[in-house]
Amino acid sequence: MLYRWIMLLALAVGLTLDARAQQADELFDLARIQRATVFVMQTRTVGNNAIITCVGSGTLVSRDGLILTNAHNTVPNPDCPGDQLVIALTIRPGEPPITTYYAEVAQANEGLDLAILRITQDLSGRIIEPDTLSLPFVDVADSGQIDLDDTIAVIGYPGLGDEDAITVISGTVTGFVSEPSGGDRSWIKTDATIPGTMSGGGVYNLEGQLVAVPTTVPIIPSAADVTCPIIQDTNNDGLINRADSCVPLGAFINALRPARFIRPLLRGASLGLQVEKISQRAATTAASGSPEFSNLFFSPSITNGMPTTAAANLPTGTTSLYLFFDYRNMTPNTIYELRVTINDRPSRTFSLAPVRWSGGRDGLWYIGSSGQVWPNGIYEFTLFLDGIASGTARINIGAQPGEPPPSFSNISFGILDERSGSLFGLNNVLPAGAVANARFIHRNMVDGTPWTACWYYQNAPLACEENVWSPDGSDTRALSITNEEPGLPLEPGPYRLALFINNRLSTLSEFTIAGAQEGAFPLVFDNTRFVSTTRPAEVPTASAASTFSSGRMELYSTFDWELLEPGTLWTMRWLVDGTRFFEETVPWSNSRTGQGFITRLSSASGSLPDGRYTMEIIVNNVVLAEAEAAIGVGQLPIDPFAVTEGVQLNGWVIDADTGEGLAGVSVIFISDEFFVSSFVWNNDQVHVIATSDSNGYFQLDRLLEFDTRYSVLINARGYLPIASDVVRVNAETDNPLEIIIPLTRG
Amino acid sequence: MAVIEILGRDERTERQFRLGHLLTVALIVVGLLYGLNLRDGAIFATQPYNNVRAGISMDYPVAWLLDTDGDYVVRLRDMRRIGYKTTIQITLAPAGGSASNRNILDVVNISRPLRLNSYDVQAIEPYTMPDGTAATRMTYTFVDDEPNKFLQTVPVVVIGWDVLVRRGEQALIVTFRSDANTFDADLVFFERLLSSLEF
């Protein structure tokens, strides 16, 4: 009896899993994804020849020709010095891609190594109007829904060879990597072995939605090898030899850039929006020396992007670990890599393949992960800069527990309220007052232990105070810093407080002083507003406005600023209808105090689309000012073509007598609001029209939505017309759906 | 053996036969004419189009797909045609008082090669509209190629006419495009539309 129940249960579970797998198969439209996957070549013209400088994979993310890919192989840089982007499509699965279009970079974030390309011309040089394109594309999903052990499929081109057609590689999610530029899920880690040329391709969930982009940056070897083959005569000497440049392909990829970083770029590219900081003075962003890492230490957790405490050993069951370090002279072109060994054995899970630098030039950085168990062992973290080792740190996880060491942790900053003894303010941003206060937690401190508090201003030591510990009955202790000149406020700019016990770093944290003091809060940006004028010279004195009529070509905003030290990192972020489309973090390059910082919003396609626009100004992850304006109806127009859920219908129109395909026949799908009898040949009534090719084959450019009734009309001169009012598809319909339509001569 | 006796002709019967023959022929002719009329009525049947904003009215062929969503006033396409869909399109362009017809067509010709494959202007010559209005006609050819690269379509050679008429500070460009093999046969649709065009 028990055996029978077990068998029944097993059968039920099996059927459920089978049903789920079948459902996933139906949702995962591999044919569509393959057609939407493109091969991207950056080329440089030498004489009359096009030289391939860099390659990668890409994915069509809109029907009008926007392509998602990496920035390192598309945006010109010293390693990829091309001047043109060529797009190759896979016309038939299983065959190598065919060069078809030229493209340009529409949006890019070099640090995040993401770019959105826009198809602009065909290979004959003819301009392509985006509206005339109806390319297959994929839906960009919410990468936040990806979890550990989820199954993913990586799709791209594995190489440059004749046999290197689109490849699908399955894998699972093995972890996540945290960095300051993206928080907890800056990278998704996978166990899939992905060739370097698939960088820029797509990573898909079981629903066939794009959730990430496989990303790595090839490090060009000193001599050509399999990771950088020589394929062309790049120096025009008539020979292909070692004197020619190689095409960097890179090694294997183990990091995937999540889709949430894509959305702002995609939104900006699809709307053609451009933000221009007119008042921003040219900043010195070029590195003044070689990039370097220093002061590596581990922290088991982070608070507001800062380490809680420095650790050399951690207990069994540790689920989060971060390596902190200082960086100098970094640029977005710098390639960094983390190699982790556990008991001297390389760990793919915790290592990070070579990727672009996504931070600023100088500062404090971390890389680590949380939410997954770190196995016991001795970990060695080695950081590489452009392929050269640049720092190593070790930590022991699961060491025998001994006497808990003394420690400091959780430094917080603010303005001290004398009466309550509490700290007030925004923690990371303090106003330029006479004093800045800090509070930290201490544990296991023994009376008489020597400890030191060091304050730094703009990376230079400001004051160090050596102390001997004396208990006061409290779990926390407060510190403060004042200007050496009595009565003067603290200089605005970046500060750091580092605490040492027995001359070993125990914890550190950073904050920024900016703006005038308004109680405990800083007033850095003021009079932030959109203005009605369209002349930049009139912007600082123009009146504020929050609603604008449709068809506006430009939108100006302005703000005043106070006590913001040049060099302080600040962020300008723009959103339309709540979706981010622009974000840039740069060092402040204007004077400390000033008025009328002007920013212009425009659209490459002419007028700005209707919508609700928001501008935010941020320092140290704190939104210090924002302004909002509505254009037209205050809502973006709906793109009826931006739908990826539905059935892809393809088919053949044939002669019923001969069975031969009929070329040039129009298949008209009338939208669900009309019937054939009420169709008056007006384009507004049409859902989609397809025309058969020389084989009689046709493809609908637009998906048929589930559970929607369509009418179909095929009316070719010389043949009896075919009409139907009951065409309906649902989630169970074959996808893609292929049909044969015979026409009878009449 | 049968003997056939031939008697004198029966005048009455002969008249009846002749009349019957004549009536039959007449009926066939009337039937043919009626059929031709029906055919013409079906092929050349029109329906009115009015655009108050653009100040244009005309009669256009029934069952041609009407589209007003592009950078034109109206575009009409014969979707029942197999192959290249014969197209009639009306565009309005601002034209300064000192701009000649040639200036306007020059601007058209500069941008078109970027969008039309193998675009080639054949002739620019005076043209008289059916109502006697002086106009300029430009004849050109191009190769129409399917934008969907996933389909295998043989490109089609297309002949186009742009008939340019001035209206104050505007230029009205009436465009006719058809497969080069069917251009002459399709021209009648364009001529009928021009005859009904009021602007």
Side-chain angles (χ1 to χ4, degrees):
Chain A
M1 187 67 183
L2 179 65
Y3 175 75
R4 191 175 293 171
W5 275 109
I6 290 171
M7 289 301 290
L8 277 172
L9 186 65
L11 184 65
V13 169
L15 285 175
T16 308
L17 290 175
D18 186 51
R20 281 184 188 168
Q22 194 177 348
Q23 192 180 18
D25 281 349
E26 284 162 2
L27 291 169
F28 195 90
D29 184 354
L30 180 61
R32 181 181 173 87
I33 294 172
Q34 286 182 323
R35 289 167 60 219
T37 304
V38 303
F39 189 65
V40 181
M41 286 174 280
Q42 191 202 51
T43 64
R44 177 168 54 93
T45 306
V46 177
N48 291 326
N49 299 323
I51 303 296
I52 298 173
T53 48
C54 283
V55 297
S57 298
T59 309
L60 285 158
V61 286
S62 77
R63 69 188 293 273
D64 57 0
L66 292 179
I67 295 167
L68 169 65
T69 186
N70 285 138
H72 73 260
N73 58 335
T74 52
V75 179
N77 62 77
D79 290 339
C80 289
D83 50 20
Q84 218 158 20
L85 295 171
V86 180
I87 305 301
L89 300 179
T90 290
I91 305 297
R92 278 169 292 282
E95 295 182 10
I98 297 171
T99 49
T100 312
Y101 298 115
Y102 288 118
E104 65 180 16
V105 177
Q107 294 272 329
N109 186 319
E110 293 185 61
L112 294 175
D113 202 4
L114 292 171
I116 302 287
L117 312 182
R118 179 182 285 115
I119 289 174
T120 54
Q121 293 172 286
D122 64 14
L123 291 188
S124 63
R126 236 183 341 148
I127 291 174
I128 292 179
E129 301 288 350
D131 292 346
T132 64
L133 287 173
S134 291
L135 297 166
F137 67 101
V138 300
D139 192 15
V140 178
D142 177 7
S143 55
Q145 293 173 356
I146 281 281
D147 291 316
L148 270 179
D149 297 328
D150 277 0
T151 300
I152 53 171
V154 185
I155 300 181
Y157 293 89
L160 286 166
D162 294 337
E163 305 301 319
D164 291 323
I166 283 184
T167 298
V168 182
I169 297 172
S170 294
T172 54
V173 174
T174 56
F176 301 96
V177 175
S178 304
E179 283 182 339
S181 56
D184 270 354
R185 292 188 171 193
S186 294
W187 297 98
I188 299 172
K189 299 299 299 296
T190 178
D191 59 356
T193 303
I194 309 165
T197 45
M198 289 176 80
S199 186
V203 181
Y204 299 86
N205 60 15
L206 290 178
E207 282 77 45
Q209 297 168 314
L210 190 144
V211 292
V213 176
T215 299
T216 191
V217 184
I219 295 171
I220 298 178
S222 53
D225 61 14
V226 289
T227 67
C228 195
I230 295 170
I231 60 170
Q232 280 177 291
D233 175 21
T234 60
N235 55 6
N236 266 344
D237 64 356
L239 300 168
I240 298 179
N241 52 27
R242 288 189 169 276
D244 294 308
S245 305
C246 59
V247 180
L249 304 181
F252 289 100
I253 304 167
N254 69 355
L256 316 170
R257 186 62 93 176
R260 68 186 174 92
F261 295 102
I262 299 162
R263 290 184 175 278
L265 296 172
L266 185 55
R267 177 52 61 94
S270 62
L271 299 176
L273 295 172
Q274 296 165 338
V275 174
E276 187 185 356
K277 297 173 191 166
I278 294 174
S279 303
Q280 181 164 284
R281 291 182 192 157
T284 311
T285 52
S288 55
S290 300
E292 62 177 39
F293 294 142
S294 59
N295 302 331
L296 283 67
F297 68 94
F298 292 97
S299 173
S301 55
I302 53 175
T303 304
N304 294 326
M306 292 292 146
T308 51
T309 186
N313 300 292
L314 286 171
T316 300
T318 292
T319 56
S320 65
L321 180 67
Y322 300 88
L323 174 70
F324 277 82
F325 51 92
D326 288 322
Y327 61 90
R328 299 280 177 272
N329 303 318
M330 301 292 281
T331 70
N333 286 329
T334 310
I335 302 169
Y336 98 113
E337 179 185 359
L338 172 66
R339 294 183 197 169
V340 177
T341 60
I342 307 174
N343 297 328
D344 297 326
R345 297 177 67 177
S347 165
R348 276 176 59 110
T349 304
F350 298 110
S351 298
L352 182 69
V355 293
R356 281 276 186 93
W357 182 252
S358 56
R361 196 182 71 171
D362 307 314
L364 179 68
W365 196 256
Y366 65 80
I367 179 168
S369 74
S370 62
Q372 63 188 112
V373 174
W374 291 71
N376 289 351
I378 297 171
Y379 287 72
E380 184 173 274
F381 283 56
T382 306
L383 291 168
F384 288 78
L385 276 168
D386 295 323
I388 299 167
S390 185
T392 299
R394 291 162 74 94
I395 188 168
N396 189 348
I397 294 180
Q400 289 296 326
E403 198 69 22
S407 68
F408 297 140
S409 66
N410 298 78
I411 301 175
S412 57
F413 300 100
I415 305 296
L416 186 67
D417 179 45
E418 298 289 350
R419 284 180 296 178
S420 66
S422 301
L423 290 181
F424 290 94
L426 298 170
N427 191 17
N428 293 95
V429 186
L430 299 181
V435 62
N437 301 92
R439 187 185 295 280
F440 61 91
I441 297 171
H442 59 84
R443 289 191 182 89
N444 311 315
M445 288 297 287
V446 179
D447 192 6
T449 305
W451 66 285
T452 309
C454 284
W455 296 85
Y456 300 83
Y457 172 66
Q458 292 185 332
N459 298 320
L462 189 64
C464 264
E465 186 181 353
E466 294 185 0
N467 302 291
V468 175
W469 190 261
S470 57
D472 60 359
S474 157
D475 293 334
T476 63
R477 186 157 291 195
L479 294 170
S480 64
I481 181 138
T482 55
N483 196 323
E484 288 178 343
E485 298 289 330
L488 288 178
L490 289 163
E491 290 289 314
Y495 287 75
R496 170 184 287 189
L497 171 61
L499 300 175
F500 301 84
I501 300 172
N502 287 323
N503 292 322
R504 290 188 63 176
L505 179 71
S506 185
T507 188
L508 65 81
S509 192
E510 294 181 335
F511 67 101
T512 299
I513 286 187
Q517 189 163 358
E518 271 201 347
F521 297 96
L523 181 66
V524 188
F525 304 104
D526 199 13
N527 289 326
T528 307
R529 63 196 191 278
F530 285 97
V531 293
S532 53
T533 186
T534 54
R535 294 180 182 174
E538 296 173 359
V539 170
T541 55
S543 58
S546 58
T547 54
F548 299 90
S549 56
S550 293
R552 196 174 176 89
M553 308 295 280
E554 294 173 327
L555 194 59
Y556 286 91
S557 69
T558 182
F559 59 82
D560 304 334
W561 68 98
E562 191 169 1
L563 294 174
L564 186 60
E565 179 67 14
T568 305
L569 287 177
W570 72 292
T571 302
M572 177 174 276
R573 180 187 293 162
W574 283 74
L575 305 93
V576 56
D577 285 6
T579 303
R580 207 180 296 179
F581 67 87
F582 175 84
E583 183 168 320
E584 187 178 71
T585 303
V586 291
W588 181 254
S589 56
N590 291 43
S591 59
R592 267 190 185 180
T593 300
Q595 292 180 322
F597 188 101
I598 304 168
T599 307
R600 172 169 52 206
L601 175 70
S602 59
S603 172
S605 56
S607 60
L608 293 164
D610 284 6
R612 184 161 290 278
Y613 293 86
T614 309
M615 180 187 72
E616 295 178 346
I617 309 169
I618 300 157
V619 175
N620 266 7
N621 296 321
V622 179
V623 178
L624 294 176
E626 67 178 354
E628 193 171 89
I631 294 181
V633 295
Q635 192 174 359
L636 283 173
I638 296 166
D639 179 4
F641 292 96
V643 175
T644 55
E645 189 178 76
V647 170
Q648 169 68 50
L649 183 92
N650 311 319
W652 286 266
V653 181
I654 61 168
D655 186 306
D657 296 330
T658 65
E660 291 181 356
L662 289 174
V665 175
S666 294
V667 181
I668 302 173
F669 273 73
I670 301 167
S671 65
D672 56 331
E673 296 168 27
F674 302 95
F675 294 90
V676 172
S677 58
S678 57
F679 180 56
V680 293
W681 293 89
N682 192 318
N683 201 54
D684 294 341
Q685 299 174 300
V686 173
H687 177 73
V688 63
I689 297 178
T691 303
S692 57
D693 69 5
S694 52
N695 300 316
Y697 185 69
F698 69 91
Q699 292 178 335
L700 295 194
D701 297 334
R702 190 174 171 186
L703 299 180
L704 299 181
E705 293 170 37
F706 295 141
D707 302 316
T708 304
R709 183 201 56 79
Y710 296 101
S711 298
V712 181
L713 179 61
I714 302 154
N715 194 344
R717 198 159 285 148
Y719 290 87
L720 296 177
I722 290 179
S724 172
D725 282 327
V726 287
V727 176
R728 191 186 292 270
V729 295
N730 55 37
E732 277 76 48
T733 307
D734 286 347
N735 198 359
L737 178 63
E738 300 215 319
I739 59 172
I740 295 174
I741 303 170
L743 294 186
T744 306
R745 286 184 182 276
Chain B
M1 185 173 172
V3 176
I4 299 169
E5 186 181 1
I6 300 173
L7 302 173
R9 288 182 178 175
D10 184 345
E11 291 290 331
R12 193 168 161 229
T13 308
E14 196 170 339
R15 258 201 321 273
Q16 282 176 337
F17 273 128
R18 279 184 184 163
L19 192 62
H21 286 149
L22 281 172
L23 281 172
T24 305
V25 170
L27 205 62
I28 289 170
V29 169
V30 168
L32 278 172
L33 288 173
Y34 181 68
L36 282 171
N37 190 42
L38 271 181
R39 174 184 170 275
D40 277 8
I43 292 175
F44 299 116
T46 59
Q47 63 190 80
Y49 170 80
N50 287 297
N51 187 322
V52 178
R53 196 171 170 189
I56 291 170
S57 69
M58 62 185 178
D59 294 330
Y60 71 95
V62 167
W64 281 43
L65 189 69
L66 184 136
D67 180 5
T68 55
D69 291 338
D71 55 355
Y72 36 73
V73 176
V74 62
R75 183 178 67 172
L76 302 156
R77 284 179 294 166
D78 182 6
M79 301 307 289
R80 294 181 302 174
R81 173 163 291 288
I82 290 179
Y84 181 80
K85 310 300 174 195
T86 306
T87 301
I88 298 173
Q89 179 176 304
I90 295 180
T91 313
L92 278 175
S98 56
S100 66
N101 286 1
R102 186 193 146 194
N103 296 147
I104 297 165
L105 292 174
D106 281 348
V107 173
V108 170
N109 286 331
I110 288 167
S111 58
R112 265 201 184 138
L114 299 173
R115 291 168 177 79
L116 301 179
N117 211 2
S118 305
Y119 178 75
D120 190 22
V121 176
Q122 306 288 320
I124 298 177
E125 54 206 344
Y127 183 77
T128 306
M129 298 285 280
D131 65 355
T133 308
T136 302
R137 182 182 70 188
M138 179 168 73
T139 306
Y140 56 91
T141 59
F142 65 93
V143 175
D144 181 67
D145 198 5
E146 168 62 48
N148 184 345
K149 300 297 177 187
F150 294 98
L151 297 177
Q152 297 175 6
T153 304
V154 178
V156 177
V157 176
V158 176
I159 298 178
W161 275 10
D162 280 347
V163 174
L164 188 152
V165 196
R166 301 295 286 272
R167 183 177 72 173
E169 296 289 294
Q170 284 184 319
L172 182 82
I173 302 173
V174 189
T175 300
F176 173 66
R177 289 174 183 168
S178 178
D179 186 327
N181 294 319
T182 60
F183 184 84
D184 291 336
D186 288 347
L187 201 54
V188 63
F189 293 106
F190 182 60
E191 288 169 341
R192 283 172 176 248
L193 184 138
L194 278 189
S195 299
S196 68
L197 180 65
E198 291 179 15
F199 56 91

